[in-house]
Amino acid sequence: MIPQIHKQGSNTLGLLNYLYGKGTHEVHVDPHLVASFDHMAPDPGRDPGATKRDLQHLLDQPLHLLDPDRRPEKHVWHCSVRAAPDDPVLTDEQWGDIARRIVAATGIDPGDGAGCRWAAVRHADDHIHIIATLVREDGRRPDHHRSGKRAQAEARLIETDYDLHRVNPGDGTAAKRPTSAERHKAERHGHTTTPREQLRETVRRAVAGATSEAEFFGRLSASGLVVRQRLAPSGDLLGYKVALPDDVNKDGQPVFYPGSKLAPDLSLPRIRERWSAEETPALGSDTSTHQVSGPAAARRRASTAAWQSVLVIDHGTDTQAAAHIAATGEVLDALATTSAEHTRRELREAARMFERATRSHIRAERKHNHALRQAARDLIYSGPALGHGEDGATTAMLIDMLFFLVTATAHWHAKNSHAQQAAAAYQAGEHLRAAYQAVGPQPMGVLHRRGLRLRRPVLQRQTATLGEVLPGLAEQILAEPAWYALATTLADAEAAGHDPATLLADVARRRELDTADSVSEVLVWRLRRMADLPADAAGLPEHVATRAPSTVRRTLPRPASLAGNTGDQPATNKR
């Protein structure tokens, strides 16, 4: 149940005309009163002898207790309360009780016998509107400070009492929602999203991996937005605002939105925090020699950075975790921008959903997320990826790693009681799951077919390795369709000079596997990334995976961030 406090107004009759009218963008069916301050207010909807002006006079009478120069100009309080689409249809009596609870909780009519005059009008099954005059019966002003938060808190209790859909409580860090006027304008022009939402996504993509003001504003201009910069008399840049070229007001002028009105972290000072952090890169990174290469190589590096971030979120401080989560949003935006068409829609939805998970009251220490921000930058500058071959296969690899990363994010937020952020991360994970289903089957199919052609001694050797390293999961893995893809990967690693048993044990212990829908697929991508094997094995000659193992056994260097990490990791969900 969502209560929304609207802007205070000065025209009681005007609002009543709307509430009892046909509606400008929705048909108001049978508008009528369900509750009022005295239980006896006239109802212009169902009482032929009552008029809207009668109700207006009754509500505004307390204004006359004040001298004309002391009457508040903005005296009309307006709150709408809407049920969720899957909630049952409530009766008038139930909506009346809800209205009384909302006005009491917000301080409009606290129950002391001298509250404000109010009325609740219902003109649809799923919501009511409450109108009140902001002068009490005793002539004082009501204490309705923070009435929005108070209404939300009461709504959570109402949901429990009426067994309605539970809305996750917010913490004030969400981006501002479009106003009803913005939504209606978008509908009139045939758009499914409002200009505010379109601008937020475009600015977010422009920020992904950017390292300077020039680069950021260059990307904004290249995206087709109208950009205005706010300068101080000294010439210093203070802020910016953006507009869509076709979104104009009644005078034909672009409708601008400052970055801070798009999202709290899109103001210029907050964006600059990301750039200033680049001056102190994470230990072990080398930006001076870092070269951007093709899409496949960029996706491999991003997969490695994503895996390191999973471990930071699991074991690092909260400020470090918040930094990695914020940068994860940039990687998702960059991946959605550069991926092939058949995955782009789901990846964009994943990035859009995850945007809510990137902000909380825990302030991010940006210096800790350099590797992920560099990964986002590499994805952007490596260019669009093909939907097949090594590009497509490394896209599947990266989506696999990002799934673990956003799931770890969801667990971290849940642990810190960030309900909205946790829900957003889980939703992003579902879109990543769908994106993987669009890109993963092709490279997995190649590995599966090669696995079916493995020589019997090779297949038996990999089966024995599996039983030795993962005895508790071996039976499950052998029954999975992707087992042959895993066997091929173990054989490829062996042919490349790795010890399959050591490698498999290493990747298996870094995070638990019991909850994975397909343990084989999870292990395939971990092994191919860590052993630096081609993600797309279609071009490998048949003998590569079937020749006798090399006498040389290579061991992979253990990243510094994994030192001491020898135990199983917290549980996560997987496809």
Side-chain angles (χ1 to χ4, degrees):
M1 177 160 287
I2 302 295
Q4 181 178 359
I5 310 297
H6 301 269
K7 289 183 178 180
Q8 295 178 21
S10 57
N11 189 345
T12 304
L13 184 59
L15 181 54
L16 289 174
N17 283 332
Y18 167 74
L19 298 181
Y20 280 96
K22 294 181 179 180
T24 54
H25 299 281
E26 57 181 328
V27 178
H28 293 177
V29 179
D30 185 26
H32 59 280
L33 219 64
V34 294
S36 67
F37 70 100
D38 64 353
H39 308 284
M40 296 184 293
D43 183 4
R46 291 188 173 176
D47 182 357
T51 68
K52 293 184 282 291
R53 191 170 291 278
D54 292 336
L55 182 55
Q56 177 250 321
H57 284 158
L58 179 67
L59 294 176
D60 284 349
Q61 276 183 3
L63 289 173
H64 300 287
L65 297 174
L66 303 176
D67 294 334
D69 59 346
R70 294 184 55 216
R71 296 172 188 171
E73 180 183 358
K74 302 290 186 180
H75 65 270
V76 181
W77 185 84
H78 177 203
C79 173
S80 58
V81 187
R82 187 176 297 271
D86 56 348
D87 281 339
V89 176
L90 301 176
T91 65
D92 283 353
E93 289 73 19
Q94 290 172 320
W95 275 118
D97 176 61
I98 290 169
R100 283 184 284 271
R101 291 178 63 167
I102 292 293
V103 295
T106 54
I108 296 299
D109 188 2
D112 59 0
C116 298
R117 296 190 176 190
W118 59 272
V121 179
R122 180 181 188 181
H123 54 212
D125 284 343
D126 64 348
H127 70 280
I128 60 172
H129 292 262
I130 306 172
I131 179 175
T133 299
L134 291 175
V135 176
R136 289 164 44 93
E137 297 282 6
D138 55 11
R140 295 187 292 118
R141 300 294 301 276
D143 177 15
H144 64 109
H145 179 61
R146 299 170 67 87
S147 59
K149 290 184 179 295
R150 291 153 70 176
Q152 291 290 348
E154 185 63 26
R156 302 294 80 79
L157 300 176
I158 292 171
E159 290 162 358
T160 300
D161 293 344
Y162 281 92
D163 195 22
L164 304 176
H165 174 81
R166 270 45 163 199
V167 175
N168 289 319
D171 60 2
T173 62
K176 184 176 179 180
R177 287 187 299 218
T179 66
S180 58
E182 291 170 354
R183 293 195 302 270
H184 295 154
K185 184 178 180 180
E187 292 171 4
R188 289 198 306 272
H189 290 86
H191 300 311
T192 57
T193 56
T194 64
R196 185 191 298 273
E197 293 167 314
Q198 295 177 52
L199 290 168
R200 182 184 302 135
E201 290 198 28
T202 304
V203 173
R204 212 177 59 229
R205 291 175 193 149
V207 171
T211 57
S212 68
E213 291 177 1
E215 184 178 10
F216 170 59
F217 286 111
R219 290 187 188 181
L220 287 182
S221 298
S223 68
L225 299 187
V226 182
V227 183
R228 295 285 185 271
Q229 296 182 356
R230 184 164 60 90
L231 302 176
S234 62
D236 293 336
L237 180 62
L238 299 178
Y240 74 99
K241 56 185 179 180
V242 289
L244 296 175
D246 58 350
D247 181 32
V248 296
N249 59 22
K250 59 183 178 61
D251 298 321
Q253 298 300 311
V255 180
F256 284 98
Y257 293 82
S260 60
K261 298 299 183 182
L262 299 177
D265 54 348
L266 293 182
S267 66
L268 186 59
R270 293 293 297 276
I271 292 174
R272 280 172 170 162
E273 291 178 7
R274 314 184 195 203
W275 302 331
S276 62
E278 301 301 319
E279 299 172 2
T280 54
L283 183 63
S285 63
D286 184 0
T287 57
S288 61
T289 60
H290 196 93
Q291 298 294 322
V292 175
S293 51
R299 279 155 170 71
R300 276 186 171 276
R301 287 195 297 272
S303 297
T304 299
W307 182 249
Q308 297 295 323
S309 292
V310 170
L311 301 178
V312 171
I313 291 172
D314 281 347
H315 302 291
T317 66
D318 281 346
T319 54
Q320 291 172 339
H324 282 260
I325 291 169
T328 299
E330 297 190 42
V331 173
L332 285 169
D333 279 317
L335 181 62
T337 301
T338 58
S339 288
E341 184 176 357
H342 67 297
T343 57
R344 194 177 304 148
R345 179 179 177 275
E346 292 294 346
L347 289 174
R348 282 182 174 175
E349 283 300 301
R352 187 177 69 85
M353 289 295 179
F354 193 78
E355 183 261 351
R356 179 66 188 97
T358 61
R359 292 187 304 274
S360 70
H361 285 300
I362 298 176
R363 196 63 176 266
E365 288 187 28
R366 292 283 185 175
K367 64 182 180 180
H368 295 290
N369 63 12
H370 174 78
L372 268 186
R373 293 207 74 240
Q374 183 65 54
R377 183 178 179 81
D378 286 353
L379 289 171
I380 293 292
Y381 285 99
S382 65
L386 300 175
H388 53 81
E390 190 71 6
D391 283 4
T394 51
T395 298
M397 177 187 290
L398 177 54
I399 292 173
D400 178 89
M401 295 299 171
L402 287 173
F403 183 94
F404 277 103
L405 182 50
V406 302
T407 306
T409 296
H411 292 165
W412 182 83
H413 278 307
K415 180 185 69 176
N416 286 285
S417 301
H418 303 158
Q420 288 188 355
Q421 292 91 331
Y426 278 120
Q427 289 175 316
E430 290 305 303
H431 287 289
L432 286 175
R433 186 195 302 269
Y436 180 85
Q437 293 303 327
V439 71
Q442 191 277 331
M444 279 292 162
V446 171
L447 293 169
H448 178 82
R449 289 189 292 274
R450 289 184 60 225
L452 292 174
R453 295 194 294 271
L454 285 174
R455 295 173 185 172
R456 182 177 294 275
V458 176
L459 185 60
Q460 289 175 337
R461 190 164 59 250
Q462 307 315 331
T463 303
T465 297
L466 177 67
E468 172 192 342
V469 177
L470 298 175
L473 291 172
E475 184 176 353
Q476 174 187 338
I477 292 173
L478 289 171
E480 291 179 349
W483 153 242
Y484 285 99
L486 176 58
T488 300
T489 297
L490 290 170
D492 287 349
E494 187 176 36
H498 297 285
D499 180 355
T502 301
L503 191 64
L504 182 60
D506 194 18
V507 300
R509 72 167 174 258
R510 294 192 177 189
R511 197 170 180 88
E512 66 82 40
L513 295 164
D514 294 340
T515 58
D517 291 343
S518 175
V519 177
S520 305
E521 291 194 44
V522 173
L523 291 174
V524 163
W525 293 124
R526 291 188 193 178
L527 287 166
R528 301 198 80 84
R529 178 184 62 82
M530 290 192 64
D532 199 26
L533 300 172
D536 175 38
L540 287 179
E542 201 66 33
H543 70 277
V544 166
T546 58
R547 68 190 181 193
S550 169
T551 56
V552 178
R553 294 287 187 242
R554 290 190 291 166
T555 57
L556 296 172
R558 190 173 184 81
S561 62
L562 297 183
N565 179 33
T566 57
D568 285 347
Q569 306 302 317
T572 187
N573 295 316
K574 190 55 182 162
R575 294 173 304 278

